[in-house]
Amino acid sequence: MTRQGGDQRHGDQHDGPTAFLPPVDRSTPPATARPAPAHPQPAGPWPAPVLPTRQPPPAWPGRPARPTPDDRQQPPGGPGRPAPPVPPGQQPGRTVDPAATALLPVLPARPTAPAMDSTALMGAVPPAPEPSGSDDPVAPPPPPRRGERVVQLRPEQTGKGYKSVYSELTRPTFASRLRTGVRVSGEVLITFGLVVLLFAGYEIWGKSVLVDAHQSKLNQQLAQAWGPTGDPTVSPTGPAKAVAPAEGKPIAGLYIPSLDKNWVVVEGVTQEDIRYAPGHYPKSALPGEVGNFSVAGHRNRATFWRLDELKSGDAILLEGKQDWYVYKVYQSRIVRPDQVEVVAPVPGEPNAKATRKLLTLTTCNPKFDNYQRLIVHAELDRTQPKSQGPPPELEG
């Protein structure tokens, strides 16, 4: 069978793979057939490119599957553009013109977004506000209220370097120095007061215990020195010359009935001698002799603490080995420490000759100090033998 004219040539040229392609309508002008592509495409029959397709998401139970973009009916050409003619036998949106898409690049499949954890947004910090960009000055902070103290929270640079954050808190001020001075002064005064109280307690009560203990020993020594049989210095025919006692040794007993006090007098007035007992001035007269029997003692509670309470006429007794000597107070006075003439044989007259039998007691004045001397003078009133018993002043 032979085709006629152009149909025969056309048919002979297109026998093969493209024999069944639909004929191209060349009667329609190119402007109305489809818009010109952005890039010129070479003419000729080209195979249609294979485009990747999106898989539709799985449908939930009870819910129809969502249509893919290929299933949606999109207006060809986009908004405002005329749709190209659809060849016969093709559906819009389902096929692609080979000539229009021959040189278009193949787009890769869009990657799917990873699944977000349920706690991804927990604790999210909101972004800082953007600066307004205006030139308005920042408002200064309000001034501190009365009584408040403002401290810099960051180190600040000075001429000597950076200043510490806590320098405002640790910098000394006049008030802090004043408080420190008052606190230190108070601690010093309290410590000094405690020391004074301890010293006073020792002087008043501590020494009394020590003096009483030593007085008991001195009483025993005096009793042993005198012996049970009379005075060894006295012979049956008359008194013999008295022997000077050794320093630190007991020589007599001293009693003041009005103060309810008594002591053993030792020889010597050094600090070691009169530490626990009144001391006899070595160059002064002995008990009952013509002259001035002078005795010194500390002004503590165990010794001559209340010596200022003696009045004129009060009795002061001395105990010898065989006799009692009763003296009566006739004068009390306060002198300077350098007035040593008060213990002379005639008090106040160092060069005078003694004619009376006197007793003088000396101690420090005032209490707890020694810048003065308290002096008590007494004169012998009578002598009583020990064989007659104790004097009535002791009994009362």
Side-chain angles (χ1 to χ4, degrees):
M1 183 175 180
T2 303
R3 297 183 181 179
Q4 297 181 359
D7 295 337
Q8 182 179 2
R9 291 192 303 269
H10 182 78
D12 294 338
Q13 295 176 356
H14 294 282
D15 290 338
T18 60
F20 296 97
L21 290 176
V24 180
D25 188 4
R26 299 182 182 274
S27 61
T28 306
T32 59
R34 64 175 180 270
H39 300 281
Q41 301 292 335
W46 299 96
V50 180
L51 298 178
T53 59
R54 293 183 59 185
Q55 298 295 331
W60 293 358
R63 180 177 179 183
R66 296 175 58 185
T68 61
D70 295 337
D71 297 336
R72 300 191 189 102
Q73 297 295 332
Q74 298 292 340
R81 298 178 62 184
V86 181
Q90 296 185 6
Q91 297 180 4
R94 300 297 293 181
T95 59
V96 180
D97 188 6
T101 60
L103 298 181
L104 290 179
V106 179
L107 299 177
R110 181 182 301 175
T112 58
M116 184 177 294
D117 189 13
S118 59
T119 60
L121 296 181
M122 293 182 63
V125 180
E130 297 267 343
S132 60
S134 61
D135 296 336
D136 298 338
V138 180
R145 293 179 296 179
R146 184 176 182 180
E148 290 184 350
R149 188 177 182 184
V150 179
V151 180
Q152 295 289 340
L153 297 181
R154 295 184 178 179
E156 56 183 45
Q157 188 176 11
T158 61
K160 299 181 180 180
Y162 280 93
K163 188 168 59 175
S164 171
V165 177
Y166 303 100
S167 60
E168 293 295 334
L169 297 177
T170 58
R171 178 181 299 171
T173 60
F174 175 77
S176 64
R177 290 192 179 96
L178 181 62
R179 287 193 298 269
T180 302
V182 171
R183 181 171 62 253
V184 172
S185 301
E187 292 176 357
V188 170
L189 292 177
I190 291 173
T191 305
F192 180 75
L194 291 176
V195 172
V196 171
L197 289 176
L198 292 175
F199 176 76
Y202 172 75
E203 288 289 331
I204 295 174
W205 294 288
K207 280 191 173 181
S208 298
V209 177
L210 297 176
V211 169
D212 292 342
H214 281 77
Q215 285 291 316
S216 298
K217 295 180 180 180
L218 291 174
N219 270 319
Q220 296 176 2
Q221 293 177 10
L222 187 62
Q224 292 177 0
W226 284 344
T229 58
D231 191 355
T233 61
V234 178
S235 63
T237 58
K241 185 176 180 180
V243 178
E247 288 191 6
K249 299 298 181 178
I251 61 172
L254 176 64
Y255 296 82
I256 303 179
S258 61
L259 302 181
D260 194 18
K261 289 290 185 179
N262 65 90
W263 306 272
V264 174
V265 181
V266 298
E267 183 69 13
V269 290
T270 63
Q271 291 296 328
E272 187 65 25
D273 296 332
I274 65 175
R275 186 176 181 181
Y276 303 111
H280 170 250
Y281 285 88
K283 294 184 180 181
S284 65
L286 292 175
E289 292 182 351
V290 176
N292 189 6
F293 181 80
S294 301
V295 178
H298 284 303
R299 191 74 180 272
N300 53 47
R301 199 174 185 84
T303 313
F304 288 166
W305 182 262
R306 299 171 57 192
L307 198 62
D308 56 340
E309 298 179 12
L310 289 176
K311 299 181 296 294
S312 181
D314 289 343
I316 300 176
L317 284 72
L318 289 178
E319 180 186 7
K321 185 172 184 179
Q322 294 181 344
D323 299 312
W324 289 96
Y325 305 97
V326 181
Y327 293 83
K328 297 290 184 178
V329 176
Y330 70 91
Q331 186 183 15
S332 295
R333 57 176 174 166
I334 297 175
V335 298
R336 298 188 309 271
D338 57 350
Q339 292 181 264
V340 295
E341 63 272 11
V342 295
V343 295
V346 178
E349 300 178 8
N351 299 324
K353 185 178 180 180
T355 57
R356 298 187 298 173
K357 299 179 180 181
L358 304 177
L359 168 68
T360 300
L361 303 179
T362 66
T363 187
C364 298
N365 190 75
K367 297 177 180 179
F368 301 111
D369 212 333
N370 60 355
Y371 60 88
Q372 292 176 339
R373 297 292 183 267
L374 174 62
I375 309 299
V376 176
H377 295 291
E379 186 175 2
L380 181 63
D381 182 66
R382 70 181 189 275
T383 301
Q384 180 179 331
K386 295 178 69 174
S387 60
Q388 297 179 4
E393 287 84 0
L394 294 177
E395 296 178 355

